[in-house]
């Protein structure tokens, strides 16, 4: 895949590249008000959804082409570049007609090769940066496949947006980050710029800053952050949008570390991590051995595998203990649940022998 820079004239090649703006364009006033504040704070690229893919019908599905005229006006007045999501050929033609500078493909669309192919064909011969969000499901090949479909029609200014992956069991995040997937994408396509979308990963305002910092620490190129002049009253994704002034605080707070600094110190620390991971594995293996012995006992005494009281006792003891050791209770619960699941699996094998 041949790649060229997604940077547009006037945008500095410096991390993070920032795209900000509302989840959805709602009214001309909301677009212009948000745009003016963003531009005053130095943001160079504005986002706004015009067509909103909703999980269920009846939600706000976007203002449609009318909103493109507001974005065009924001571009003319502030000098910011404008970007929006496209999901069909019609969206592509409309967006191009209004001079949209950057397009992105949403997570639900990336998951559908027919839709991506249709968009790709509408973009043949057009020189425009296109950012591809990860598919809703954690499938790296599907994500790469979408990038390849765009590359195959001659687009070279491609980038990826990591917005997390759907999961049935929502806990801390709206969409699980599964950082290893974008990290593997970067390993497979080192020249592809990657932006993080902490708004859709977190789903809550408070998570935007820590997720953005984590993305910077993982050497991401940019951030796309939902920003609204009145987030509480936003027509979509109200809980995760921030005001332009909060966006500025978040961006000012980020520590941008350079790659490759003091790698020697780092390798010593990494050796320690390797060592501790080995110990963790040994301990887990030991715990499973004991658990299998318990399985044999349960079989001999005709007991059920899962003894609910015992499992509650483990959770109730370990979670506060974890907290006192500065480990988040949510994290500890996930670990204990995973260990318990494997333990049960191993005991079931023994019971059925
Ligand atoms: C969005 O960016 O507003 C959006 C709908 O995102 P996603 O495709 O990641 O759900
Ligand atoms: Mn949104």
């Amino acid at each position: 895949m041949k790649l060229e820079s997604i940077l547009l004239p006037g945008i500095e090649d410096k991390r993070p590249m920032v795209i900000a703006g509302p989840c959805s364009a709602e009214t001309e006033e909301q677009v212009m008000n948000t745009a003016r504040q963003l531009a005053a704070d130095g943001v160079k690229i504005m986002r706004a959804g015009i067509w909103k893919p909703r999980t269920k019908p009846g939600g706000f599905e976007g203002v449609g082409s009318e909103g493109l005229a507001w974005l065009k006006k924001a571009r003319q007045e502030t000098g910011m570049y404008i970007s929006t999501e496209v999901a069909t050929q019609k969206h592509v033609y409309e967006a191009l007609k209004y001079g949209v500078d950057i397009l992105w493909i949403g997570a639900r669309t990336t998951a559908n090769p027919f839709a991506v192919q249709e968009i790709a064909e509408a973009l043949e011969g057009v020189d425009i940066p296109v950012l591809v969000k990860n598919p809703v499901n954690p499938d790296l090949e599907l994500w790469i496949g979408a990038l390849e479909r765009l590359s195959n029609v001659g687009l070279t200014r491609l980038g990826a947006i990591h917005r997390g992956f759907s999961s049935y069991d929502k806990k801390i995040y709206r969409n699980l980050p599964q950082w290893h997937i974008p990290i593997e994408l970067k390993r497979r396509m080192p020249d592809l710029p990657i932006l993080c979308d902490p708004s859709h990963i977190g789903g809550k305002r408070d998570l935007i800053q820590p997720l953005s910092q984590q993305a910077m620490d993982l050497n991401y190129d940019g951030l796309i952050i939902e920003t609204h002049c009145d987030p509480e009253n936003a027509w979509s994704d109200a809980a995760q949008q921030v005001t332009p002034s909060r966006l500025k605080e978040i961006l000012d707070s980020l520590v941008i570390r350079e790659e490759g600094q003091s790698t020697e110190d780092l390798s010593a620390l990494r050796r320690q991590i390797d060592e501790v991971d080995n110990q963790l594995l040994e301990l887990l293996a030991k715990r499973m051995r004991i658990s299998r012995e318990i399985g044999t006992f349960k079989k001999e005494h005709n007991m059920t595998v899962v003894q609910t009281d015992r499992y509650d006792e483990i959770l109730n003891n370990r979670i506060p203990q974890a907290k006192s050791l500065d480990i988040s209770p949510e994290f500890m619960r996930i670990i204990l649940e995973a260990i318990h699941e494997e333990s049960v699996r191993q005991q079931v094998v023994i019971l059925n022998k």
Side-chain angles (χ1 to χ4, degrees), residues 66-134:
E66 184 190 7
L68 289 170
W70 311 332
L71 283 182
K72 187 174 176 189
K73 186 172 169 194
R75 184 186 199 277
Q76 274 164 352
E77 191 185 306
T78 65
M80 276 189 295
Y81 290 109
I82 52 176
S83 63
T84 201
E85 170 176 349
V86 288
T88 65
Q89 291 206 338
K90 177 183 160 263
H91 297 165
V92 170
Y93 298 136
E94 287 291 291
L96 295 177
K97 192 167 91 192
Y98 284 87
V100 172
D101 302 285
I102 299 178
L103 303 175
W104 82 80
I105 296 183
R108 293 162 193 76
T109 310
T110 307
N112 179 350
F114 290 126
V116 175
Q117 187 60 32
E118 181 190 310
I119 294 168
E121 284 163 18
L123 282 167
E124 189 156 6
V126 182
D127 178 29
I128 190 170
V130 183
L131 306 175
V132 180
K133 285 198 168 197
N134 65 256

Side-chain angles (χ1 to χ4, degrees), residues 100-304:
V100 172
D101 302 285
I102 299 178
L103 303 175
W104 82 80
I105 296 183
R108 293 162 193 76
T109 310
T110 307
N112 179 350
F114 290 126
V116 175
Q117 187 60 32
E118 181 190 310
I119 294 168
E121 284 163 18
L123 282 167
E124 189 156 6
V126 182
D127 178 29
I128 190 170
V130 183
L131 306 175
V132 180
K133 285 198 168 197
N134 65 256
V136 281
N137 50 325
D139 185 341
L140 177 61
E141 300 309 323
L142 199 54
W143 196 359
I144 293 178
L147 289 157
E148 284 175 354
R149 286 178 194 279
L150 297 169
S151 171
N152 286 350
V153 299
L155 290 162
T156 53
R157 298 157 79 197
L158 301 176
I161 300 177
H162 170 217
R163 52 78 81 194
F165 302 88
S166 279
S167 78
Y168 176 66
D169 197 14
K170 292 195 170 55
K171 286 196 170 122
I172 311 177
Y173 302 108
R174 176 176 174 190
N175 291 297
L176 290 180
Q178 308 221 51
W179 297 99
H180 62 282
I181 297 175
I183 288 170
E184 176 61 13
L185 176 66
K186 190 78 190 168
R187 196 187 65 78
R188 299 254 297 263
M189 304 176 72
D191 297 329
L192 182 77
I194 300 194
L195 284 80
C196 178
D197 175 346
S199 312
H200 289 91
I201 294 176
K204 297 190 247 330
R205 279 185 266 290
D206 290 352
L207 292 174
I208 310 282
Q209 197 284 339
L211 285 166
S212 300
Q213 182 63 57
Q214 187 159 357
M216 287 301 102
D217 292 344
L218 291 171
N219 210 23
Y220 278 48
D221 301 278
L223 297 168
I224 174 164
I225 301 183
E226 287 192 339
T227 313
H228 190 293
C229 56
D230 182 11
E232 251 107 279
N233 293 305
W235 298 0
S236 59
D237 290 351
Q240 72 193 31
Q241 305 207 53
V242 294
T243 59
S245 61
R246 177 64 193 141
L247 175 75
K248 185 171 189 309
E249 278 173 20
I250 291 170
L251 296 175
D252 288 346
S253 77
L254 296 178
V255 179
I256 310 297
R257 300 175 178 95
E258 286 319 313
E259 208 190 1
Q261 244 179 16
S262 52
T263 39
E264 260 174 50
D265 296 351
L266 207 55
S267 62
L269 289 169
R270 283 180 175 151
R271 277 197 299 278
Q272 287 187 49
I273 290 276
D274 290 346
E275 181 51 34
V276 173
D277 280 353
N278 283 335
Q279 292 171 7
L280 269 174
L281 271 168
E282 298 280 349
L283 276 173
L284 273 175
K286 181 173 170 192
R287 196 186 188 284
M288 292 302 160
R289 272 199 303 278
I290 299 173
S291 171
R292 287 195 298 272
E293 275 181 46
I294 294 179
T296 308
F297 181 92
K298 284 177 178 165
K299 182 176 184 172
E300 285 165 6
H301 294 80
N302 228 352
M303 291 163 73
T304 59

